[in-house]
Amino acid sequence: MVYYRDGGLIIRTMESGDAIRLSAAETAQGWHPTEEKHKTRLSDMAEGKCTALCAEVGGEPVGYISVYFNPTGGPFAGDGRCELVDFGVLEKCRRRGIGSKLMDTAEKIAGEYWDNHHKDAASRRGVWLGVGLHPGYGAAQRLYVKRGYIPDGSGAWYDDKIAEQYKTYPLDDSLIIYMEKDL
């Protein structure tokens, strides 16, 4: 399904061939991707757990994000809001608005999900996400703040658990904070 098309940019649902192509492009720029993470998103989408999005430019996948409808982990699990998971744009394609369009589309899907499934719910209409704390996530951290996301106040998390005060954790992809935004 195509969600957005303008000029050479297309935002669409992820397809099976995207996993290999995205992983190869990420490896070429020095990231440590796994084809499996994209295949997991595709499998979860087939099971109705999420919508996995892909940004395409010139016939090549250059970015991705997934919208999870009923997340089972994190600080807002079970409150009815969607979680945005695994957002990335290839470095060579950054600063062109691709990430913003992916986020716009993901937030729209999350809002529509809320409107269709939680009309009488007591919690807020919004969305949330986790973001890494090491410098590799600096661009994403800035983008989220500019888009109105704020830290949720639960502090740092490591491997899906709140990090214990005064304990030492590696500065890797598992050390994150959660942020939320009202839609």
Side-chain angles (χ1 to χ4, degrees):
M1 173 176 196
V2 173
Y3 291 91
Y4 176 84
R5 183 187 307 264
D6 185 27
L9 175 62
I10 298 170
I11 307 293
R12 57 171 173 75
T13 52
M14 188 175 282
E15 300 168 356
S16 60
D18 296 329
I20 296 168
R21 295 164 71 192
L22 284 166
S23 294
E26 289 174 327
T27 298
Q29 67 185 20
W31 290 4
H32 304 295
T34 63
E35 202 175 302
E36 193 59 36
K37 80 172 181 177
H38 297 298
K39 288 181 178 178
T40 297
R41 305 294 174 240
L42 289 165
S43 174
D44 288 349
M45 185 167 61
E47 293 175 21
K49 295 178 183 178
C50 75
T51 295
L53 300 173
C54 182
E56 178 184 306
V57 174
E60 292 295 319
V62 298
Y64 50 88
I65 191 168
S66 294
V67 182
Y68 276 79
F69 305 120
N70 291 303
T72 57
F76 303 110
D79 83 346
R81 292 184 286 169
C82 293
E83 179 183 15
L84 305 184
V85 175
D86 198 23
F87 170 60
V89 175
L90 297 177
E91 291 172 353
K92 68 181 181 181
C93 297
R94 290 185 179 172
R95 305 199 65 75
R96 296 190 210 169
I98 295 168
S100 290
K101 276 300 171 200
L102 274 168
M103 291 291 293
D104 289 345
T105 305
E107 289 171 358
K108 182 177 181 200
I109 291 168
E112 289 171 355
Y113 179 82
W114 175 268
D115 292 344
N116 292 326
H117 293 89
H118 301 288
K119 293 180 182 182
D120 299 324
S123 65
R124 299 186 323 263
R125 181 180 188 265
V127 67
W128 55 283
L129 52 80
V131 63
L133 295 178
H134 68 69
Y137 289 97
Q141 293 166 359
R142 291 177 52 83
L143 176 67
Y144 299 149
V145 169
K146 288 178 181 181
R147 293 185 65 84
Y149 286 82
I150 60 170
D152 77 311
S154 65
W157 288 60
Y158 192 82
D159 278 344
D160 300 321
K161 296 179 188 101
I162 294 177
E164 295 177 39
Q165 188 172 356
Y166 303 115
K167 188 172 177 185
T168 302
Y169 295 89
L171 188 55
D172 61 18
D173 290 349
S174 295
L175 186 62
I176 66 170
I177 61 168
Y178 282 100
M179 303 179 82
E180 62 182 321
K181 175 182 177 176
D182 289 333
L183 295 176

